[in-house]
């Protein structure tokens, strides 16, 4: 003897007897909107940061502001350690407890557009251009040099000799030193 099947509840829908020939298109998922990058709590204007990657790795720089793209605007100052105004991702810096006064530095005009490169004229390159000796060295725009000098004058003017020496020295690790055990 077979027992009768259990009664269907209202929550479980009945399976369709027939399926459509064409697949029904699902609406596409909307992409997430970009949220502005949150600035790390240990980073504030005037904070001395250590760069961990790139051309200036190991250099100590001064944080000026966060740009619209979420990147950090930093400077050496250029006269002290050779680091110009640069954009840096906050993943590639270590924040130190040292602070510098940046109240006089006017960086309102410096944004992401400031770092946009001029489009180079694309031409057909032949064998002669490929093997040409010593290409032309690109000159830095006069406006960028002026901006750098203004920012450097505002920051470097307030630095004493000890702080200039600190910013000018590179950060490096000796054997047996581990960054996660250090207090910066």
């Amino acid at each position: 003897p077979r027992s009768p099947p259990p009664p269907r509840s209202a929550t479980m829908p009945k399976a369709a007897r027939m399926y459509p020939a064409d697949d029904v298109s699902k609406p596409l998922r909307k992409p997430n909107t970009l949220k502005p990058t949150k600035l790390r709590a240990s980073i504030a204007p005037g904070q001395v940061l250590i760069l961990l990657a790139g051309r200036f790795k190991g250099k100590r720089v001064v944080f000026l502001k966060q740009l619209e793209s979420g990147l950090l605007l930093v400077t050496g100052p250029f006269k002290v350690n050779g680091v110009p105004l640069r954009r840096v991702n906050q993943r590639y810096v270590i924040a130190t407890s040292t602070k510098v006064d940046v109240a006089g530095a006017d960086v309102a005009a410096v944004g992401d557009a400031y770092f946009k490169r001029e489009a180079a004229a694309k031409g057909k390159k032949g064998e002669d251009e490929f093997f040409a000796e010593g290409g032309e060295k690109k000159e830095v725009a006069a406006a960028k040099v002026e901006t750098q000098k203004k920012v450097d004058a505002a920051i470097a003017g307030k630095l004493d000799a000890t702080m200039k020496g600190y910013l000018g020295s590179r950060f490096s690790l000796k054997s047996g030193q581990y960054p996660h055990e250090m207090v910066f």
Side-chain angles (χ1 to χ4, degrees), residues 25-108:
S25 62
K26 280 186 178 177
L28 292 174
R29 198 171 70 86
K30 289 183 182 172
N32 295 338
T33 56
L34 290 174
K35 299 175 195 86
T37 310
K38 269 174 63 175
L39 189 62
R40 209 185 304 165
S42 58
I43 300 174
Q47 200 87 35
V48 174
L49 309 174
I50 300 168
L51 299 180
L52 298 176
R55 181 177 166 197
F56 299 103
K57 66 173 155 257
K59 294 272 190 170
R60 294 181 170 97
V61 294
V62 179
F63 169 65
L64 299 172
K65 72 173 187 176
Q66 187 178 25
L67 301 170
E68 302 86 51
S69 62
L71 298 175
L72 310 179
L73 179 67
V74 299
T75 186
F78 187 75
K79 285 281 185 195
V80 176
N81 61 9
V83 181
L85 282 167
R86 285 180 71 81
R87 294 182 296 182
V88 182
N89 191 323
Q90 60 184 333
R91 289 269 185 180
Y92 300 108
V93 298
I94 295 174
T96 66
S97 57
T98 313
K99 281 198 130 191
V100 174
D101 184 24
V102 292
D106 181 33
V107 289

Side-chain angles (χ1 to χ4, degrees), residues 130-149:
F130 185 78
F131 291 108
E133 289 291 322
E136 306 95 38
K137 194 165 185 173
K138 291 182 183 174
E139 286 295 317
V140 180
K144 289 191 177 185
V145 173
E146 282 303 310
T147 308
Q148 183 71 56
K149 284 183 180 175

